[in-house]
């Protein structure tokens, strides 16, 4: 009788900053004989791939004696020399014009299999969907919840129902990490400042957080205004009332337990009214200021990556300051969000004036301060959307821009601007109607749209190739 070896592969959830999969851990004890597998002769290795929908190819590498290496995209039986073989699998991503779905390798304990003379050994690769992928997510700043809207329901506008509609204590700040786990800033002052919800838990109405974090040095009654991961996986959080941005180290975030943990910030940046954060491709930190009584008019500030290894006190200003005036020459920026597009342009959402501003990549470099005040000639695109609820934006795979948008209603609507709608300014006072309008009546007030994974090419930590 032929001996059969069954193998369940595991993929590491945390990938290196450059992407790609991680080598699986070895445990020959779960495969009797793999540690002293005999050689001499030939056998068969049957690799069974499960869990992927039609059209999505696996990424599996089989390596073995004598430099043997084969890359597989699905189930296959290989005729091989006898010996010990290692089977490694990486997570895979499908294609979609809005947001992709990500499949990771199911948890397991073994990566090696012994192929014996005239026998067939089997290795099984089990994929499963990361449930936070394939959706457009919004927070609800009134009900402390997050909502996931399936990509299949977003091809055209109209009435939509979220799934899940989850109680996550979320207020206004949302961020995904590379594994699809959701980080949220909490609503109420008696709770920890931050929660992390594992991707696997975000399928129902009552997910359980596996991280509860207080930010050392931030008063308990303060609520985080925005957060963003830098290229190394450190989490930066902004709190406008205290005029402070805190950096929480990646290692501290990973080792925090399920109980409430206080993390001392590794870096503190002092800046007036930091309301929104974004990192560019070079790892520079961009800060959008609120308009809430700051000593100077609200602006967009750049702090260079080379300075972010240590704290920056209030007396040390940014490396670049940009102010965009409106059609009437006034400064009503009042930033509510920042986002980079695939071409490296910086988009600024202005809640106070109901506009989007696209700052071209060419003006983002350099140092010092610059004010843009000639709409016809300064290269800035200004898009007026009306006096609606502009509380966040996120780009999708097709280059469209998802925004909170409800100019005449209670706040449960959102919209998508098509790529063509993002190329030109609107006349002063003439609002542009988005390509797709959505109405989610169960939502109280949409906030902070986010997609997992973020589109390839964007300077976001959770962007996947």
């Amino acid at each position: 009788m032929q001996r059969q070896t069954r193998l369940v592969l595991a993929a590491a959830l945390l990938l290196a900053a450059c992407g790609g999969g991680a080598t699986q851990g070895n445990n020959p004890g779960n495969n009797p004989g793999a540690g002293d597998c005999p050689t001499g002769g030939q056998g068969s290795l049957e690799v069974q791939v499960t869990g992927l929908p039609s059209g999505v190819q696996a990424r599996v590498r089989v390596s073995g004696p004598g430099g043997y290496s084969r890359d597989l995209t699905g189930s296959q039986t290989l005729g091989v020399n006898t010996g010990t073989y290692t089977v490694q699998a990486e997570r895979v991503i499908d294609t979609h014009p809005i947001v992709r779905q990500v499949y990771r390798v199911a948890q397991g304990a073994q990566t090696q299999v012994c192929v014996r003379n005239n026998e067939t050994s089997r290795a099984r690769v089990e994929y499963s969907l990361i449930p936070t992928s394939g959706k457009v997510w919004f927070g609800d700043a009134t009900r402390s919840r997050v909502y996931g809207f399936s990509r299949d329901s977003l091809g055209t506008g109209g009435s939509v129902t979220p799934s899940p509609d989850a109680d996550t204590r979320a207020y206004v700040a949302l961020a995904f990490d590379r594994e699809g786990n959701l980080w949220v800033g909490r609503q109420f002052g008696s709770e920890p400042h931050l929660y992390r919800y594992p991707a696997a838990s975000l399928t129902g109405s009552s997910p359980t957080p596996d991280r509860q974090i207080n930010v050392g040095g931030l008063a308990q009654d303060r609520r985080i205004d925005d957060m963003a991961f830098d290229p190394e996986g450190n989490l930066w959080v902004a709190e406008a009332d205290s005029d402070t941005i805190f950096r929480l180290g990646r290692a501290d975030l990973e080792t925090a337990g399920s109980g409430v943990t206080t993390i001392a910030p590794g870096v503190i940046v002092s800046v007036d009214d930091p309301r929104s954060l974004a990192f560019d491709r070079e790892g520079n930190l961009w800060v959008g200021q609120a308009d809430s009584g700051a000593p100077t008019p609200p602006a967009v500030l750049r702090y260079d990556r080379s300075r972010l290894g240590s704290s920056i006190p209030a007396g040390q200003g940014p490396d670049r300051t940009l102010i965009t005036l409106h059609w009437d020459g006034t400064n009503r920026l009042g930033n509510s969000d920042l986002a980079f597009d695939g071409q490296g342009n910086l988009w600024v959402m202005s809640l106070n004036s109901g506009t989007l501003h696209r700052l071209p990549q060419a003006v983002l470099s350099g140092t010092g301060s610059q004010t843009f005040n000639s709409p016809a000639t300064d290269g800035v695109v200004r898009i007026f959307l009306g006096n609606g609820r502009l509380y966040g934006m996120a780009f999708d795979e097709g280059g469209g821009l998802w925004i909170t948008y409800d100019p005449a209603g209670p706040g449960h609507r959102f919209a998508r601007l098509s790529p063509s709608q993002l190329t030109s300014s609107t006349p002063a006072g003439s609002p542009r109607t988005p390509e797709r309008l959505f109405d989610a009546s169960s939502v109280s007030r949409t906030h902070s749209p986010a997609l997992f994974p973020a589109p390839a090419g964007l300077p976001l930590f959770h962007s996947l190739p």
Side-chain angles (χ1 to χ4, degrees):
M1 177 182 293
Q2 294 179 338
R3 294 189 182 182
Q4 298 179 350
T5 303
R6 178 181 178 88
L7 175 65
V8 180
L9 297 176
L13 293 181
L14 184 63
L15 301 186
C18 61
T23 300
Q24 314 304 311
N26 289 335
N27 187 355
N30 287 349
N31 181 18
D36 56 352
C37 186
T39 58
Q42 289 190 323
S44 297
L45 175 57
E46 181 182 331
V47 180
Q48 302 172 337
V49 177
T50 63
L52 292 178
S54 176
V56 179
Q57 295 184 338
R59 297 181 65 187
V60 180
R61 172 161 292 183
V62 180
S63 57
Y68 180 92
S69 180
R70 286 285 302 273
D71 291 329
L72 308 181
T73 59
S75 298
Q76 192 170 341
T77 299
L78 306 172
V80 294
N81 294 329
T82 58
T84 300
Y85 288 79
T86 299
V87 185
Q88 297 172 317
E90 298 179 9
R91 62 182 176 182
V92 296
I93 312 171
D94 70 0
T95 59
H96 196 272
I98 296 177
V99 57
R100 296 170 291 169
Q101 289 183 331
V102 185
Y103 297 84
R104 64 184 173 195
V105 184
Q107 294 289 344
Q110 175 98 316
T111 62
Q112 290 187 334
V113 58
C114 177
V115 177
R116 302 175 187 275
N117 190 37
N118 294 323
E119 294 186 2
T120 298
S121 297
R122 290 181 175 85
R124 186 171 180 179
V125 181
E126 295 181 354
Y127 279 97
S128 62
L129 175 69
I130 296 180
T132 49
S133 65
K135 294 180 174 67
V136 176
W137 294 83
F138 286 88
D140 189 328
T142 301
R143 296 179 59 208
S144 301
R145 305 183 74 83
V146 296
Y147 308 97
F149 295 91
S150 169
R151 66 188 190 180
D152 296 332
S153 67
L154 301 175
T156 58
S159 178
V160 288
T161 301
S163 180
D165 174 343
D167 180 4
T168 57
R169 304 172 177 87
Y171 181 52
V172 298
L174 304 178
F176 283 103
D177 59 29
R178 282 190 177 150
E179 291 72 53
N181 305 311
L182 178 64
W183 295 77
V184 303
R186 61 94 172 104
Q187 167 75 295
F188 301 107
S190 60
E191 299 176 338
H193 295 123
L194 289 168
Y195 292 93
R196 188 186 84 167
Y197 290 87
S201 74
L202 287 167
T203 57
S205 61
S206 301
T208 300
D210 66 349
R211 298 286 190 278
Q212 302 180 68
I213 294 172
N214 277 319
V215 179
L218 180 62
Q220 193 63 46
D221 62 344
R222 301 295 190 185
R223 295 187 300 200
I224 291 170
D225 290 286
D226 199 14
M227 68 177 83
F229 284 97
D230 67 19
E232 287 76 39
N234 306 304
L235 183 61
W236 296 72
V237 298
E239 204 282 308
D241 289 340
S242 62
D243 298 330
T244 309
I245 302 170
F246 303 88
R247 188 193 74 183
L248 306 181
R250 177 175 181 168
D252 292 329
L253 297 174
E254 292 174 353
T255 57
S258 58
V260 179
T261 302
T262 297
I263 296 180
V267 170
I268 296 175
V269 178
S270 297
V271 56
D272 287 333
D273 288 321
R275 179 56 53 86
S276 50
L277 304 175
F279 284 90
D280 61 24
R281 287 195 180 104
E282 288 71 44
N284 304 314
L285 173 64
W286 290 83
V287 181
Q289 291 180 296
D291 187 9
S292 56
T296 57
V300 180
L301 314 174
R302 189 192 79 216
Y303 291 86
D304 286 354
R305 183 174 187 168
S306 60
R307 300 176 63 196
L308 299 180
S310 57
S311 295
I312 302 175
Q316 299 180 14
D319 297 278
R320 185 79 161 128
T321 300
L322 302 177
I323 299 174
T324 302
L325 302 183
H326 291 261
W327 293 270
D328 58 4
T330 62
N331 180 0
R332 292 175 283 134
L333 203 55
N335 305 288
S336 55
D337 205 9
L338 301 176
F340 284 93
D341 63 23
Q343 291 72 49
N345 306 306
L346 177 60
W347 288 81
V348 182
M349 176 174 275
S350 173
L351 170 65
N352 292 351
S353 61
T355 58
L356 295 173
H357 301 256
R358 186 190 73 186
L359 303 180
Q361 184 182 29
V363 308
L364 303 182
S365 59
T367 59
S369 178
Q370 185 172 355
T371 299
F372 302 93
N373 56 14
S374 179
T377 60
D378 62 11
V380 176
V381 172
R382 295 168 173 83
I383 301 174
F384 180 55
L385 295 170
N387 297 319
R389 298 175 180 271
L390 300 182
Y391 290 112
M393 57 182 165
F395 282 96
D396 65 21
E397 292 290 341
L401 185 64
W402 293 82
I403 60 173
T404 60
Y405 178 81
D406 204 352
H412 52 70
R413 298 180 179 92
F414 58 94
R416 180 186 190 260
L417 290 159
S418 69
S420 62
Q421 291 184 306
L422 301 176
T423 60
S424 62
S425 297
T426 59
S430 179
R432 177 163 292 164
T433 301
E435 167 211 34
R436 302 178 202 174
L437 303 176
F438 299 90
D439 191 317
S441 58
S442 62
V443 178
S444 178
R445 192 177 85 183
T446 56
H447 212 295
S448 305
L451 289 72
F452 177 77
L458 294 189
L460 293 168
F461 184 63
H462 64 295
S463 293
L464 298 179

